[in-house]
Amino acid sequence: MIASEKDAPPQALFPCDLIYEILLRLPVRSLLRYRCVCKQWESMISDTHFAKLYLSMSTVDPTLTHHRLLVHTGYGNDELASCSAKSLFNNPLTLTEDVDFTMRSNYRIAGSCNGLVCLIDLSQNNAWLWNPSTRLLSRKTPSVDVHGVEFALFRGFGYDHVSGKYKVVIVFTDPWCNEEEHRTETKVYAFGDGSWKTKRNLKFPGYPSNEEGKFVCGNLNWVAKRGKSIKRPEWEILSFDLGKDTISNVLLPDFGDDNVLYLEQAVLKDCLCVCYNSYGKTHLVVWLMKEYGVKESWIKFMAIPRADHRIGSFRKTDINPCCISEKGAILLYTDHGPALYDPKVDRLEYPDVQRHRFWYERCIYVESLVSPYF
């Protein structure tokens, strides 16, 4: 008996290739729901190749559609919230969303990479990975045996392209030693290895302006201050190579006559940046290193006006570049929430962020399907 057309399976309205391309452009929240549509969609969305392609497309998207800010809303407050970076650039009103995660007061953000956020528990000296988009959480690492160097001075998180593993780095120091002794002990954990490695021969001189290192070109970078001079401090960039587990210096630009009282690192356009204000200046100056590790590639990228009481004092930077839009506007962190600077009009603006105004800790991450399990 020949089956009638009524009994035949329905034909797909779109070819598989087109469906695949559409799925690649959807938010992770939708993809997690659409896995239930059919076995074919579940297979596509769960495939590791799809996750890699999704991450690649989301990362380079100039519209920042998949970029989000994760914020810890205050010391002693267990709340985490997130908001869309694109919304901050384009909408006068942005609503933050609560994140279902308990951020205790002893937790710190070590950094984000490929959609994964690394968190450190300072009371237990261990770490774990978390994907805020999928809400998946890895097991905690073993606790670090610090042998008396109990203060976590530097921390950072990134991806080692040599081993293909994610790594977290914590540099401990003796809080009671003087600057000349300044004994440090570096701990490195590659997720999936099961144990911390100790790097005792590495020297981390000075003190970081920001404990969280910035991941650029396979290296974690910290701006550190040497010397005791307040009026004219000595600055350097400490760079930790995640592939070689070695420390080196990245040469700073020539600041000319500027007396740099406070210097901080940032990342824009996947390039290492430093930003500072010198005494008596009215702008935050941002330098960008176009070719990593090459001193001659530093350019004075932007000068952002600071003539606003909400920006803070001139003794500290207080604002830090976060990301840049396809039209050249910059999103900045401030002690009072986000700010936007558009160089075309040379003016700072403050998006109206509802529900969460105070940001104790923050990082930007890109939506991804990368698993935190290793």
Side-chain angles (χ1 to χ4, degrees):
M1 180 177 177
I2 301 176
S4 65
E5 292 184 4
K6 182 184 295 187
D7 298 326
Q11 297 295 315
L13 296 177
F14 301 102
C16 288
D17 290 347
L18 182 56
I19 294 175
Y20 196 88
E21 291 296 324
I22 293 173
L23 292 176
L24 283 172
R25 288 158 175 79
L26 298 178
V28 169
R29 182 179 301 178
S30 298
L31 292 175
L32 297 179
R33 293 200 308 267
Y34 294 162
R35 287 184 303 183
C36 302
V37 170
C38 63
K39 290 184 178 180
Q40 184 186 37
W41 284 29
E42 180 185 15
S43 177
M44 281 194 294
I45 296 170
S46 303
D47 183 63
T48 55
H49 177 72
F50 181 90
K52 290 180 180 179
L53 189 56
Y54 184 89
L55 173 65
S56 177
M57 293 179 60
S58 300
T59 302
V60 301
D61 183 1
T63 66
L64 304 177
T65 299
H66 298 283
H67 287 70
R68 298 188 66 84
L69 263 70
L70 180 72
V71 296
H72 182 196
T73 57
Y75 184 78
N77 191 328
D78 293 343
E79 290 185 354
L80 273 181
S82 73
C83 61
S84 164
K86 183 177 181 179
S87 177
L88 288 170
F89 278 111
N90 298 328
N91 299 326
L93 176 64
T94 296
L95 182 67
T96 59
E97 302 175 6
D98 287 329
V99 176
D100 185 18
F101 183 84
T102 301
M103 185 74 172
R104 303 190 187 281
S105 60
N106 52 294
Y107 292 175
R108 293 293 182 274
I109 296 173
S112 66
C113 181
N114 295 343
L116 297 178
V117 174
C118 181
L119 300 169
I120 295 176
D121 183 345
L122 295 180
S123 64
Q124 300 295 323
N125 289 327
N126 52 24
W128 64 102
L129 297 182
W130 176 51
N131 186 324
S133 302
T134 63
R135 303 294 194 264
L136 296 179
L137 186 70
S138 73
R139 292 184 177 180
K140 287 189 177 183
T141 68
S143 295
V144 178
D145 189 357
V146 293
H147 303 291
V149 281
E150 59 203 38
F151 183 70
L153 189 63
F154 299 80
R155 63 179 183 266
F157 169 67
Y159 182 70
D160 175 11
H161 294 275
V162 177
S163 65
K165 294 182 177 181
Y166 292 90
K167 288 184 176 180
V168 57
V169 178
I170 310 177
V171 180
F172 294 91
T173 189
D174 183 352
W176 309 112
C177 69
N178 57 42
E179 188 172 351
E180 286 73 23
E181 296 172 347
H182 199 65
R183 184 168 63 94
T184 62
E185 190 166 289
T186 305
K187 300 289 186 177
V188 181
Y189 187 88
F191 286 90
D193 282 359
S195 62
W196 292 84
K197 293 182 179 179
T198 302
K199 307 293 179 180
R200 290 193 175 88
N201 297 324
L202 301 181
K203 299 295 183 182
F204 276 81
Y207 296 89
S209 58
N210 189 327
E211 295 173 5
E212 181 189 331
K214 300 299 182 182
F215 178 66
V216 179
C217 295
N219 292 263
L220 291 172
N221 300 271
W222 297 267
V223 167
K225 181 178 72 172
R226 302 189 69 171
K228 299 180 179 180
S229 174
I230 298 176
K231 294 184 178 179
R232 191 167 289 276
E234 299 176 14
W235 298 101
E236 61 185 338
I237 297 178
L238 302 176
S239 174
F240 184 85
D241 190 318
L242 288 176
K244 300 177 181 178
D245 287 350
T246 56
I247 189 75
S248 61
N249 290 94
V250 173
L251 296 177
L252 285 164
D254 183 3
F255 298 130
D257 296 331
D258 285 346
N259 181 19
V260 181
L261 297 178
Y262 194 85
L263 188 68
E264 193 163 324
Q265 71 271 15
V267 177
L268 289 174
K269 297 183 174 181
D270 294 324
C271 294
L272 181 64
C273 297
V274 292
C275 48
Y276 68 90
N277 56 273
S278 57
Y279 183 75
K281 299 294 183 179
T282 59
H283 287 68
L284 177 82
V285 182
V286 181
W287 287 75
L288 181 143
M289 183 177 251
K290 298 177 69 175
E291 185 177 350
Y292 184 79
V294 179
K295 180 180 180 180
E296 294 73 20
S297 70
W298 282 108
I299 60 170
K300 187 178 285 189
F301 183 63
M302 194 170 290
I304 301 172
R306 294 174 51 87
D308 192 300
H309 69 281
R310 285 179 287 185
I311 293 301
S313 69
F314 286 100
R315 183 168 291 276
K316 186 178 177 181
T317 304
D318 290 324
I319 61 177
N320 193 272
C322 165
C323 61
I324 187 167
S325 73
E326 58 182 335
K327 296 180 180 180
I330 287 186
L331 175 65
L332 306 116
Y333 299 134
T334 80
D335 286 346
H336 302 278
L340 294 173
Y341 174 67
D342 187 347
K344 296 177 182 178
V345 297
D346 193 28
R347 185 176 65 246
L348 275 170
E349 296 180 351
Y350 298 87
D352 188 2
V353 179
Q354 297 292 300
R355 301 187 62 211
H356 299 101
R357 294 296 306 173
F358 183 75
W359 294 3
Y360 175 61
E361 278 195 301
R362 61 264 174 167
C363 75
I364 190 163
Y365 69 93
V366 62
E367 287 186 314
S368 83
L369 294 164
V370 176
S371 173
Y373 303 142
F374 297 98

